Amino acid sequence: MQNESETVVKSRTPLKYREFNIDQIRDDFPILKRTVNGKQLVYLDNAATTQKPQSVIDATTHYYTFENANIHRGLHFLSEVATESYEQARLKVKEYINAMSASEIIFVRGATEAINLLANTMCRAGIIGEGDEIIITEMEHHANIVPWQLMCERNKAKLKVVPIDDNGDIIVGEYDKLINDKTKLVSIVHISNALGTINPVKEIIKTAHSRGVPVIIDGSQAVQHQAVDVQELDCDFYVFSGHKMYGPTGIGILYGKTKMLENLPPYQGGGDMIRKVTFEKTTFDDLPNKFEAGTPNIAGGIGLGVAVDYLKSFNMSNIIKHEEELLNYATEKLLQIEGLRIIGNAKKKSSVVSFVIDGIHPYDIGTIIDTDGIAIRTGHHCTQPIMQRYNLPATARASFALYNTLEEVDKLVVGIKKVISMFK
Amino acid sequence: MTIKETHQSLIKEFEAIDNWDDRYSHIIKLGRQLPDFPEEYRLDKNKIEGCQSQVWMYAKLINGKLQIYADSDAMIVKGLIAILLRAYSGFTPSEIYSTSPDFIKEIGIDHHLSPTRKNGLASMLKQIKMYAFTFKALAI
C-alpha cells in the first residue's frame, strides 16, 4: 500500500515553484492581519512557534468536518479516508527529509517526545549501560539534556558535554577529544534555538560513525529554514516538531534508519502497535506502528503534511535567501544601537538574534515592546546552560520566519530605542 | 489609611494614566523608588524561582504588622513589587490575608498575573499571602 501511495505523492511535487512574493505570503497567514494592543502584530517569536498558513488551518478543519474517524481500524468508508490522509502525510514528510522509506517516519507529539522515546527505548535495549557515555553539546535545548540525564541516572551512564566558544560555535577539537570507546551515542542540535548557530552536523556524524557511534540530530530549528536530507547527512535519527514549521501543535517526527528503529523495543504499549495479544505474550507490529500506540493526533498529522506542502511550494533557496536578508539586516540595525550586544555570532547562523542591552533586563525589554504589538521571546529559551556559559540571567530574542519583512525589523529597532529611552 | 483605602488610592493613582507607555513609565518610576533590599535577606531560600526574572522576598512581623522586603533584577518587576508593598506591607497578617487583590485588576496590570509570567505578580502575591497566613496561624 505504501509503495502505491508513494507514486501519488511524487506526482504531487510541484513542477513549478511559487514566486516568493512577500505580500502574497503574508496573505496566507490570517493571524498576521490582527492587531495587538491596538497595533499591527509584529510576530518575531518564530523559534518558539511559527504561525500557520490558511491551508494548514483548513486541512485540520476539513478533517474534523468531513473525514473524522479512527485510523488503521475500521473497514468503513470514513476510517479508510482518514487512514489514507494520515498515511499520505507520513509520505509527504518522508519525501521532505528524503528518508529511505515511509516506515522510518514515526509520528510523535514533538521533538521532546521523540528524544524521550529514544532515551527510554535505548536504555531498555541495553544500548547504553553502566559506565557508558553520551555526548551532547553546551548549546542543547533542555529537551536534549534532561531525558539523557534521567537515563544516565537510571543506567549509571555519563553525560559528556562539548563546550562552545564565545561566538557560540562548537569547539570541534573538544568533541574529537571527548569521543572514545565508552561513547555509545552522540545527540546534538542541528541549529541552536538560542544562538542561531548552524552546527557542522555532517562532520560530527562522520566522526561518530568512524567509531561506530550512532547520532541523533535535533532538527527542530532546521527543517523550516533549510533543505534537510537525512540520507545525505547519514544521521541515525532526526527529530523535529511540526509547530515550528508552520504545522499544528502536538505533532512531530522521529525519523530513524530502519535498522536502528528495529533494534529498539516499543516505547508505549496499547492499541495500533500490536500484532497479537494474549495474556502470556504480546507480539508487536512492524514499523512505524510499533512506536505509535493509541489513537494518534490524526488532525495534527494531516495538518503537518499540508505544512510540508506549503514549504515545498517554494524553492527552498528563496526562503533561505529571504531569511538571510532578514538576519543580516537585523544584525546590522541592532548593532547600531548603543549598549546592545548580540549573543551568538557563529560563523554560520540561522535567522535568530539573541541580544542583551546594558542595564535593562530582558523582561523589561519584552514587556515594553509587547505594548507596541511586537512579540519577541525573553528568558532563558529552555537553554539555561547557555545562559550560564555567557553569565546572563536571560536574553531577548527575535527569530524570523519566511513571512517577516524588513519593515518589521525596523519596527523592532524603533521599539528597542523606545525601551532604552524609558529606562534611561 | 486602612488596607482598603490604600488599595483605593492605588486605583486612583493609576486611573489618571490613560495609556500603556505612561502606565509603564510610572511603574518604572515606582521601581526606581523601591527601598534597597536588605542584603542579608538575599538568600536562595528567599528567591522566588521563575522563568523570566529573579525575585527575592522576605517578611517579618514588627509590632504585629507584616513588614515585607522584596527585590528583582528587572525594573518593571521592581515596580510591581513597589505596588504590592504599598498594598500590603505594614498591615496585620489578618488584614492582608482577608483582603482580596481586586485592585490589581482595577489598576490594569492584571495581565501580569498570567501563568506565563512565572514570577510576576501571581507568585509574589501568593508568597505574601503565605507569609500572612503563617504569621496569622502562629499568633493563635
Side-chain angles (χ1 to χ4, degrees):
Chain A
M1 187 190 113
Q2 275 159 4
N3 285 341
E4 280 169 25
S5 318
E6 272 177 52
T7 329
V8 177
V9 166
K10 271 184 183 152
S11 68
R12 277 186 192 164
T13 305
L15 297 170
K16 215 177 139 195
Y17 291 117
R18 248 181 90 174
E19 188 197 344
F20 197 89
N21 177 314
I22 197 72
D23 293 331
Q24 282 171 15
I25 289 169
R26 290 184 71 81
D27 279 344
D28 295 336
F29 293 82
I31 205 168
L32 298 179
K33 293 190 177 69
R34 72 160 289 174
T35 55
V36 168
N37 296 324
K39 312 273 172 65
Q40 180 66 44
L41 168 69
V42 176
Y43 187 78
L44 303 177
D45 193 17
N46 295 287
T49 196
T50 55
Q51 299 302 343
K52 319 305 172 199
Q54 190 66 52
S55 59
V56 169
I57 299 166
D58 288 347
T60 50
T61 309
H62 179 87
Y63 164 72
Y64 284 122
T65 313
F66 299 107
E67 297 181 349
N68 179 54
N70 212 330
I71 56 165
H72 300 152
R73 288 162 172 82
L75 272 176
H76 58 79
F77 176 81
L78 278 184
S79 178
E80 286 198 4
V81 170
T83 303
E84 173 66 15
S85 299
Y86 192 67
E87 292 304 324
Q88 280 288 327
R90 194 190 305 275
L91 282 163
K92 288 173 186 177
V93 174
K94 176 242 166 205
E95 291 278 310
Y96 188 62
I97 61 168
N98 194 31
M100 188 91 84
S101 104
S103 60
E104 294 179 324
I105 304 295
I106 315 291
F107 279 119
V108 287
R109 273 194 295 143
T112 298
E113 188 179 47
I115 295 172
N116 277 280
L117 183 157
L118 290 172
N120 181 295
T121 56
M122 283 179 166
C123 169
R124 285 193 289 126
I127 292 172
I128 297 151
E130 193 172 337
D132 287 341
E133 295 178 358
I134 302 165
I135 295 181
I136 60 169
T137 77
E138 205 174 2
M139 68 169 85
E140 298 307 318
H141 188 280
H142 294 166
N144 200 25
I145 302 174
V146 184
W148 303 117
Q149 274 176 335
L150 293 171
M151 177 193 158
C152 284
E153 262 174 41
R154 203 165 33 180
N155 279 23
K156 299 194 178 88
K158 276 187 200 138
L159 201 57
K160 295 285 173 178
V161 183
V162 184
I164 57 176
D165 63 21
D166 289 344
N167 287 330
D169 276 312
I170 283 178
I171 304 173
V172 178
E174 292 296 319
Y175 166 67
D176 295 340
K177 274 191 231 161
L178 277 179
I179 196 160
N180 62 42
D181 292 343
K182 287 183 201 156
T183 311
K184 289 295 179 318
L185 179 73
V186 172
S187 189
I188 173 181
V189 70
H190 196 162
I191 296 179
S192 159
N193 70 310
L195 302 170
T197 310
I198 303 176
N199 283 316
V201 284
K202 208 174 165 185
E203 196 184 320
I204 283 163
I205 293 164
K206 220 172 147 191
T207 306
H209 283 179
S210 71
R211 291 176 161 268
V213 177
V215 181
I216 301 169
I217 303 290
D218 170 7
S220 302
Q221 302 291 342
V223 279
Q224 65 282 48
H225 297 301
Q226 58 171 254
V228 170
D229 183 331
V230 289
Q231 290 191 66
E232 206 231 323
L233 284 176
D234 198 28
C235 54
D236 301 277
F237 300 97
Y238 196 94
V239 306
F240 54 96
S241 297
H243 71 95
K244 293 185 199 286
M245 56 181 293
Y246 312 105
T249 54
I251 191 80
I253 299 295
L254 161 64
Y255 155 82
K257 285 179 181 168
T258 302
K259 213 181 94 195
M260 303 299 293
L261 289 171
E262 276 175 350
N263 284 339
L264 297 175
Y267 178 41
Q268 294 173 327
D272 216 23
M273 52 79 76
I274 48 87
R275 186 165 290 152
K276 187 173 167 60
V277 177
T278 66
F279 284 115
E280 288 72 36
K281 187 174 170 56
T282 293
T283 53
F284 305 110
D285 204 348
D286 292 332
L287 296 172
N289 296 355
K290 182 172 99 174
F291 290 107
E292 295 184 3
T295 299
N297 181 355
I298 305 170
I302 293 169
L304 176 56
V306 175
V308 167
D309 287 341
Y310 185 77
L311 275 162
K312 282 183 78 172
S313 70
F314 299 101
N315 186 340
M316 184 51 93
S317 61
N318 287 334
I319 297 179
I320 294 171
K321 207 174 117 199
H322 178 68
E323 291 178 350
E324 269 177 7
E325 195 185 359
L326 289 166
L327 174 70
N328 293 337
Y329 186 70
T331 305
E332 185 198 324
K333 290 282 166 187
L334 289 174
L335 284 176
Q336 287 170 6
I337 299 173
E338 212 188 308
L340 187 146
R341 200 152 49 92
I342 290 177
I343 306 299
N345 297 291
K347 286 182 215 89
K348 285 186 176 175
K349 254 188 91 169
S350 178
S351 54
V352 167
V353 191
S354 268
F355 59 93
V356 290
I357 301 172
D358 291 343
I360 307 176
H361 195 282
Y363 182 95
D364 294 329
I365 303 171
T367 304
I368 297 299
I369 221 165
D370 177 58
T371 63
D372 286 329
I374 302 170
I376 59 168
R377 171 84 187 263
T378 59
H380 54 60
H381 318 292
C382 296
T383 56
Q384 287 180 5
I386 293 184
M387 300 301 128
Q388 289 149 18
R389 165 69 177 75
Y390 291 99
N391 198 19
L392 297 165
T395 71
R397 178 190 71 188
S399 52
F400 306 104
L402 56 81
Y403 43 67
N404 288 123
T405 64
L406 298 180
E407 292 74 42
E408 288 181 309
V409 176
D410 289 334
K411 285 185 185 174
L412 171 70
V413 171
V414 170
I416 291 170
K417 285 181 177 164
K418 185 179 110 178
V419 171
I420 292 172
S421 72
M422 283 176 81
F423 286 93
K424 250 182 192 167
Chain B
M1 263 198 283
T2 66
I3 192 164
K4 286 234 165 99
E5 283 164 357
T6 309
H7 291 193
Q8 279 306 317
S9 81
L10 274 165
I11 293 167
K12 267 199 180 148
E13 187 174 315
F14 275 86
E15 256 174 9
I17 313 170
D18 61 356
N19 69 73
W20 275 111
D21 284 356
D22 292 347
R23 198 167 287 164
Y24 276 119
S25 292
H26 189 60
I27 292 172
I28 292 163
K29 196 177 113 196
L30 294 176
R32 287 210 171 100
Q33 292 166 354
L34 185 71
D36 286 344
F37 184 68
E39 285 306 312
E40 66 265 32
Y41 301 146
R42 200 181 299 279
L43 305 168
D44 276 353
K45 64 173 185 179
N46 294 332
K47 211 165 160 180
I48 303 177
E49 287 288 344
C51 198
Q52 297 274 338
S53 69
Q54 302 186 81
V55 175
W56 296 264
M57 187 178 278
Y58 183 74
K60 60 183 176 187
L61 212 57
I62 298 175
N63 298 329
K65 290 180 177 164
L66 196 68
Q67 294 300 325
I68 308 167
Y69 309 89
D71 194 16
S72 170
D73 53 351
M75 192 55 78
I76 290 171
V77 179
K78 274 180 92 160
L80 298 174
I81 288 170
I83 294 169
L84 284 181
L85 261 49
R86 251 174 70 191
Y88 291 113
S89 189
F91 294 100
T92 68
S94 288
E95 285 170 322
I96 294 168
Y97 192 73
S98 59
T99 309
S100 84
D102 289 343
F103 72 98
I104 289 173
K105 198 172 175 189
E106 293 198 45
I107 64 180
I109 53 168
D110 49 310
H111 63 279
H112 280 274
L113 287 169
S114 87
T116 59
R117 310 208 180 215
K118 277 184 185 157
N119 56 8
L121 276 179
S123 32
M124 294 191 280
L125 197 58
K126 197 171 146 198
Q127 192 65 23
I128 291 173
K129 292 268 174 177
M130 283 287 281
Y131 272 117
F133 181 79
T134 309
F135 282 112
K136 194 170 143 255
L138 285 173
I140 295 169

